[in-house]
Amino acid sequence: MLAADAAINPDDLYTISAGGFSATADAFARDPDSEGLWFLSMVGAQSALKAIWAALLKRPPESAHLLAGTDGLALSGGFHRCGIPGETIGTWTTKIARLPVSGGFHALVYTRMAEYAFERDAFLLLAPGEAEAPALHHRFLDRRSPLPLHRSWAEWLWRRGLAKGEIAPLQSAGVRAWRCTPDPEALREDLSVAVGSGLLKLPREHAPNEHKEGASR
């Protein structure tokens, strides 16, 4: 999952509102078609953060909205309804910490599908930028695949996933995000063709269990 801190541009901030409370969202990932909210980073009063978190996870959920701009300084062209996707119910967690300077709080609200070791085939990929995405996608996919996926295939796997619709970009701010739904059988067939045609190489030093090294570290 995304770990690095990035500089925040005030023009990229949003206001998240739910349960009658509002907070500033500095990062989020959302599916514009389904209005599903996949990831949220927000700052504000602790009571507001907890209330928004509770409203999002409530069943049935309360209405939630993202508005471009900080509270009271809304920008035009950025009003988005959002809610927790049904397939992620039961996988959500949050981390709340006090901000040392302002005295406010920061909450990271996310589905554990964004965690490398989470036991589910589908996953949420979060990256600082698109350049880092292929290598990170390979790491997550390799963890979940019964096939050995050599790291030199990362770019090919990334392009294939986008072309097949197994990697879908999400609307996001403060982070780049993709919803990944691998198809193991289709991947097996495509790998067989790519290796057989010479498009992908099988390095001699590639050991059968190499792709699972990271899992035990």
Side-chain angles (χ1 to χ4, degrees), residues 7-185:
I8 297 176
N9 183 340
D11 293 337
D12 294 333
L13 296 176
Y14 281 68
T15 295
I16 175 75
S17 298
F21 291 82
S22 296
T24 297
D26 60 303
F28 70 87
R30 173 184 176 272
D31 186 334
D33 295 326
S34 67
E35 300 182 340
L37 183 67
W38 287 82
F39 167 80
L40 176 64
S41 172
M42 56 181 173
V43 295
Q46 186 179 33
S47 57
L49 300 184
K50 289 184 175 181
I52 293 170
W53 159 245
L56 287 170
L57 271 294
K58 187 178 179 181
R59 289 290 163 237
E62 295 188 26
S63 178
H65 299 87
L66 279 162
L67 182 68
T70 55
D71 193 19
L73 296 172
L75 304 177
S76 62
F79 183 79
H80 309 296
R81 186 182 179 88
C82 53
I84 299 302
E87 68 196 87
T88 67
I89 293 174
T91 72
W92 284 79
T93 187
T94 185
K95 296 179 180 178
I96 300 180
R98 179 184 290 275
L99 297 172
V101 177
S102 67
F105 286 79
H106 172 250
L108 199 61
V109 182
Y110 61 93
T111 165
R112 294 188 62 211
M113 290 173 66
E115 295 178 352
Y116 167 70
F118 190 59
E119 297 296 334
R120 187 174 289 192
D121 290 341
F123 56 94
L124 174 66
L125 193 71
L126 301 174
E130 193 161 355
E132 296 87 353
L136 188 60
H137 168 260
H138 168 266
R139 185 167 181 262
F140 272 62
L141 186 63
D142 190 39
R143 162 84 182 186
R144 291 156 174 79
S145 174
L147 301 172
L149 304 176
H150 195 266
R151 59 182 174 274
S152 65
W153 300 349
E155 288 290 343
W156 180 87
L157 289 166
W158 180 251
R159 292 194 300 270
R160 176 201 167 275
L162 288 171
K164 297 284 187 177
E166 294 177 24
I167 302 174
L170 298 175
Q171 175 194 11
S172 61
V175 66
R176 296 299 300 273
W178 297 264
R179 180 187 175 194
C180 302
T181 52
D183 183 334
E185 290 304 317

